[in-house]
Amino acid sequence: MGKAKEKQEEVPYAESHLYKIRHSAAHVMAQAVIEMFPNGKVAIGPPIEDGFYYDFELPRALTPDDLDKIEKRMRKIIKGKYAFERQELSADKAREVFADQPYKIELIEGLESGGYDEYGEKIEEAPVISIYKHDTFEDLCRGPHVENTGEINPSAVKLLNVAGAYWRGDEKNTMLQRIYGTAWESVEELEAYLERLKEAQERDHRTLGRELDLFSFSQDVGPGLALWHPNGGRIRAQIEEYWSQRHREGGYERVYTPHIGKANLWQTSGHLNWYKDGMYAPLTIEEQEYYIKPMNCPFHIAIFKSQMHSYRDLPMRFAEFGTVYRYERSGTLHGLMRVRGFTQDDAHLFCTLEQMPEEILGVLEFSLSILRDFGFQEFDIELSVRDPKNPGKYAGQDSDWKMAEAALISAIEKLGLSYRRVEGEAVFYGPKIDIKVHDALNRTWQITTIQFDFWLPEAFEMEFVGQDGEPHQPYMVHRALLGSMERFFGVLIEHYKGAFPVWLAPVQAELIPIADRHFDYAYDALAKLKAAGLRAEVDDSGDRMGNKIRKAQGQKVPYMLVIGDREIEEGAVSLRLRSGEDLGATSVDDFIAMAQEAVKSKAQV
RNA sequence: GCCGAUGUAGCUCAAUUGGCAGAGCAACGCUCUUGUAAAGCGUAGGUUAUGGGUUCGAGUCCCAUCAUCGGCUCCA
């Protein structure tokens, strides 16, 4: 993976040969589709990470059978070695060529007048309009392409699935049919990619969640509302315990707040103005309206405001596992990754302007340190700032924004990290840093968010008394470190493929007596393990040893302790790891020491 | 929410053109007392997601609803 990255840095993907192959494969696919549906309309078809797609408007829905046919036809076209011919032409001429292709006409208008590209993004100056033609298919396209279709490896192309996609990604527009495909230089690369997809599927937290009995959803309870089972609960309790300890050490105070609050609170906070779509309908209690909380901040602010504060009290750091409920559209729910009720490991920092840089540095360092303990080593850091073209849509003073951005950058740089600056991605109330982690398959997941807030301190008229005896407004930072417990758990499951490190494993050791006469010894050993703080159980089912091992392997238990006549005679247990390694006889005490060390060091196994 | 697909036992899946809902695993019971990834035999388990409709007859065809899956949009 590291190598691939280096290679990418040498030649940017958009200029690589593979990019051209995929772009060309998209054209070939479009030709095959249009041959099948001569009146079909084509939209756009770019290369993407690992493949390509093309969007169509067709008279009927495509079936998997259609994909097979299209794929077969593509191979024939490829073998025809048709040259890709580029031609530049005027907008008027282009309109003639694509007279019966409304989406292309719209693209041409964009290119000509406003200077918008096919993704609807503004481009500086109106570009030259070009078309690429191969065999019978011609497409409005800036290229580049391979010389001829023969450069595409027909055995390294595969169509994957059909999906709906809005024209230009806007839900007000027509829904088109998108065909996703993948293309590589060699069959081996294609197979490796398909293997990667399979690997991702095997790690799917929804499947593992059922197999390991971690969590479920119930039709009776409702969609997007997760039920944590005892095994998932054990892991979560472990995470929360560790988190609590780190936060105590890190100078956070633990707070607890209710799940609902009066309408007025949400009016003041601004949520009813700009977050109403994400909130559930109000409850009426004694003629007062209450809302279920979509965020915890107003409550933490209420705690802050419950008394006068001196500058000497600052910084103050309030942390809470705050359970929030947000309306998510039904089609967006996805296992634990996207739910309607979730618990944020939320915290709010209140401080003076002078304290701000140190607070930011502290919270960033703190976050990375905790994420590393969960086995994440690589991070993408994104700095989201204002859209310079649209300064009107943000709260706060210009100077605040500059100060905040400088504080964020300085913290990132002090830690020697690289980051990506994203304009226009800031929340309206302030800039933010997001941390994405890379998992075991090198996929990235948004986890941590650290957000400045210039709005709430003002909206709630927060104050502290400064050294000068005058009231001042504190600065405020929101931060969710693990993000949501649900999503974080989902990511952990996929990262570890369900094989949690010893400190998190729901069952750390499975005691496996070979025959009934070994049960009592096993129960004695179990008592010792439990007394030592380990999570263990005895498999006293009627199964044979082989099946007991198989079951424990399936549950991904890190240690299996086999007990038979020999072990009892030696006062030992026979230690098997879930890797399959047989470490042989070990005394119970030695095993306890070893397991405790693995827990303490959070050993990644 | 939108486009498309799917929904049969706890799980994985069968069931010919519309013609008696079935298997493996899991569960439970009995026998065996076992040496590093599946012992044998037996028992039980279902209003085929839900509600309507067509039909002599519906798991199968039609309509609606719900949920899930692949995407789009949105996001912790």
Side-chain angles (χ1 to χ4, degrees):
Chain A
M1 293 259 171
K3 274 221 165 123
K5 210 173 182 183
E6 278 167 37
K7 216 173 168 183
Q8 259 183 26
E9 276 161 14
E10 282 166 26
V11 183
Y13 178 47
E15 290 163 28
S16 66
H17 187 59
L18 191 54
Y19 185 91
K20 289 189 212 167
I21 287 175
R22 289 172 178 164
H23 200 169
S24 306
H27 279 222
V28 170
M29 178 169 80
Q31 177 186 348
V33 170
I34 291 305
E35 282 175 359
M36 198 178 232
F37 302 97
N39 294 321
K41 308 299 176 207
V42 292
I44 60 168
I48 50 173
E49 187 181 2
D50 299 330
F52 60 90
Y53 67 80
Y54 211 116
D55 288 346
F56 305 93
E57 186 182 333
L58 303 172
R60 65 165 175 87
L62 291 166
T63 65
D65 271 358
D66 293 329
L67 285 198
D68 284 346
K69 279 182 205 150
I70 294 165
E71 201 176 295
K72 281 203 185 96
R73 176 63 190 134
M74 283 175 70
R75 298 220 165 86
K76 277 212 177 115
I77 298 169
I78 288 167
K79 285 175 184 158
K81 297 190 177 171
Y82 301 106
F84 279 92
E85 289 161 15
R86 178 187 169 95
Q87 188 189 339
E88 294 181 1
L89 69 188
S90 69
D92 283 341
K93 188 82 193 19
R95 265 189 286 268
E96 264 174 51
V97 173
F98 296 105
D100 58 348
Q101 288 292 346
Y103 299 104
K104 295 297 173 189
I105 297 288
E106 206 178 314
L107 292 175
I108 293 165
E109 306 286 325
L111 290 172
E112 183 190 33
S113 57
Y116 288 95
D117 67 11
E118 59 264 49
Y119 310 106
E121 278 174 30
K122 198 143 174 62
I123 40 184
E124 290 312 319
E125 45 191 278
V128 177
I129 294 176
S130 58
I131 59 175
Y132 277 81
K133 183 172 184 211
H134 76 274
D135 195 18
T136 63
F137 184 76
E138 58 189 338
D139 198 1
L140 181 74
C141 180
R142 67 181 158 205
H145 283 280
V146 294
E147 290 293 313
N148 70 72
T149 58
E151 283 185 50
I152 304 167
N153 183 340
S155 318
V157 175
K158 190 172 167 58
L159 301 187
L160 299 173
N161 52 4
V162 193
Y166 298 108
W167 165 237
R168 288 194 150 153
D170 188 331
E171 63 185 15
K172 290 194 277 293
N173 291 339
T174 330
M175 178 66 72
L176 306 169
Q177 295 192 65
R178 172 172 299 178
I179 304 178
Y180 282 99
T182 189
W184 301 83
E185 295 191 28
S186 67
V187 185
E188 292 72 35
E189 284 174 309
L190 172 67
E191 277 167 4
Y193 172 67
L194 295 177
E195 187 56 38
R196 243 196 306 150
L197 290 185
K198 206 175 125 220
E199 174 70 16
Q201 212 172 4
E202 281 169 11
R203 284 173 185 264
D204 192 310
H205 74 282
R206 294 166 298 185
T207 312
L208 288 168
R210 189 170 41 240
E211 286 171 3
L212 304 179
D213 197 13
L214 301 174
F215 66 89
S216 67
F217 292 89
S218 151
Q219 289 214 16
D220 292 331
V221 176
L225 302 169
L227 301 169
W228 294 65
H229 296 195
N231 283 343
R234 285 185 180 193
I235 296 171
R236 176 160 169 177
Q238 223 44 53
I239 294 172
E240 289 184 357
E241 203 170 295
Y242 163 72
W243 184 97
S244 300
Q245 185 201 330
R246 289 297 305 266
H247 280 70
R248 268 196 306 278
E249 293 163 5
Y252 288 78
E253 293 294 342
R254 195 66 176 272
V255 298
Y256 298 84
T257 67
H259 286 68
I260 61 174
K262 281 158 79 174
N264 196 36
L265 181 78
W266 305 106
Q267 201 68 58
T268 306
S269 69
H271 285 90
L272 285 177
N273 284 333
W274 35 268
Y275 200 74
K276 197 157 200 245
D277 289 348
M279 295 170 68
Y280 290 102
L283 317 164
T284 305
I285 303 171
E286 293 181 341
E287 289 168 40
Q288 289 280 334
E289 282 196 343
Y290 288 75
Y291 283 88
I292 303 170
K293 67 176 172 183
M295 294 186 193
N296 303 300
C297 13
F299 299 92
H300 290 193
I301 289 170
I303 295 172
F304 181 94
K305 286 186 59 162
S306 67
Q307 54 180 280
M308 286 278 284
H309 290 292
S310 152
Y311 70 96
R312 294 172 198 272
D313 298 336
L314 303 182
M316 293 180 84
R317 308 184 190 98
F318 294 161
E320 172 180 22
F321 284 111
T323 303
V324 297
Y325 293 87
R326 299 182 185 174
Y327 169 68
E328 300 288 352
R329 300 200 285 182
S330 53
T332 65
L333 301 174
H334 182 90
L336 289 177
M337 302 301 190
R338 188 77 180 276
V339 290
R340 285 183 174 157
F342 56 98
T343 300
Q344 293 183 302
D345 67 319
D346 210 355
H348 294 90
L349 318 177
F350 306 104
C351 64
T352 66
L353 178 61
E354 295 72 36
Q355 291 166 336
M356 188 50 87
E358 199 177 327
E359 284 304 298
I360 296 291
L361 180 64
V363 74
L364 187 57
E365 204 169 12
F366 186 66
S367 301
L368 292 172
S369 154
I370 288 178
L371 293 176
R372 285 195 182 99
D373 272 346
F374 285 101
F376 299 109
Q377 296 303 328
E378 256 191 87
F379 309 100
D380 287 350
I381 296 183
E382 282 182 6
L383 173 69
S384 299
V385 297
R386 284 181 295 181
D387 181 354
K389 289 169 215 149
N390 208 343
K393 67 172 197 185
Y394 300 97
Q397 307 291 319
D398 191 54
S399 57
D400 283 338
W401 281 83
K402 285 191 173 137
M403 177 280 295
E405 195 179 324
L408 292 174
I409 292 175
S410 135
I412 296 169
E413 285 177 350
K414 263 194 190 146
L415 295 176
L417 303 162
S418 56
Y419 65 98
R420 202 161 70 89
R421 190 186 146 93
V422 209
E423 287 184 347
E425 285 297 302
V427 196
F428 89 99
Y429 50 73
K432 61 170 181 171
I433 293 177
D434 287 331
I435 303 176
K436 294 183 176 174
V437 301
H438 287 239
D439 74 4
L441 288 188
N442 206 28
R443 298 171 300 179
T444 60
W445 302 94
Q446 156 86 59
I447 302 286
T448 306
T449 183
I450 302 170
Q451 308 180 342
F452 261 89
D453 191 330
F454 304 129
W455 164 253
L456 287 178
E458 191 173 317
F460 280 100
E461 299 175 326
M462 296 173 73
E463 280 179 4
F464 67 92
V465 180
Q467 207 164 0
D468 55 8
E470 297 293 319
H472 296 269
Q473 203 170 84
Y475 281 79
M476 175 174 171
V477 174
H478 306 249
R479 161 247 82 162
L481 203 166
L482 307 177
S484 97
M485 299 305 283
E486 282 72 11
R487 174 178 292 179
F488 188 71
F489 188 35
V491 171
L492 272 191
I493 293 168
E494 302 209 355
H495 179 57
Y496 288 125
K497 203 174 178 177
F500 293 98
V502 181
W503 75 285
L504 290 172
V507 176
Q508 296 166 318
E510 187 75 40
L511 290 147
I512 300 179
I514 292 175
D516 295 9
R517 65 177 178 280
H518 309 126
F519 279 11
D520 284 341
Y521 181 90
Y523 294 137
D524 286 347
L526 175 69
K528 280 191 193 165
L529 297 187
K530 284 193 165 171
L534 294 170
R535 296 184 291 279
E537 58 186 29
V538 174
D539 186 344
D540 48 13
S541 69
D543 289 331
R544 313 235 138 157
M545 182 204 65
N547 202 37
K548 289 179 180 178
I549 288 175
R550 183 168 167 272
K551 286 191 298 181
Q553 286 284 155
Q555 289 300 299
K556 315 205 180 206
V557 176
Y559 302 118
M560 282 154 269
L561 309 178
V562 177
I563 293 163
D565 293 336
R566 292 205 299 267
E567 285 74 23
I568 293 177
E569 207 168 301
E570 293 171 37
V573 291
S574 179
L575 176 58
R576 179 193 163 103
L577 305 180
R578 65 185 160 197
S579 61
E581 200 178 347
D582 184 351
L583 298 184
T586 314
S587 78
V588 174
D589 288 341
D590 283 353
F591 168 71
I592 288 174
M594 174 187 171
Q596 282 177 331
E597 176 52 31
V599 168
K600 197 172 152 226
S601 66
K602 300 195 167 50
Q604 304 290 320
V605 284

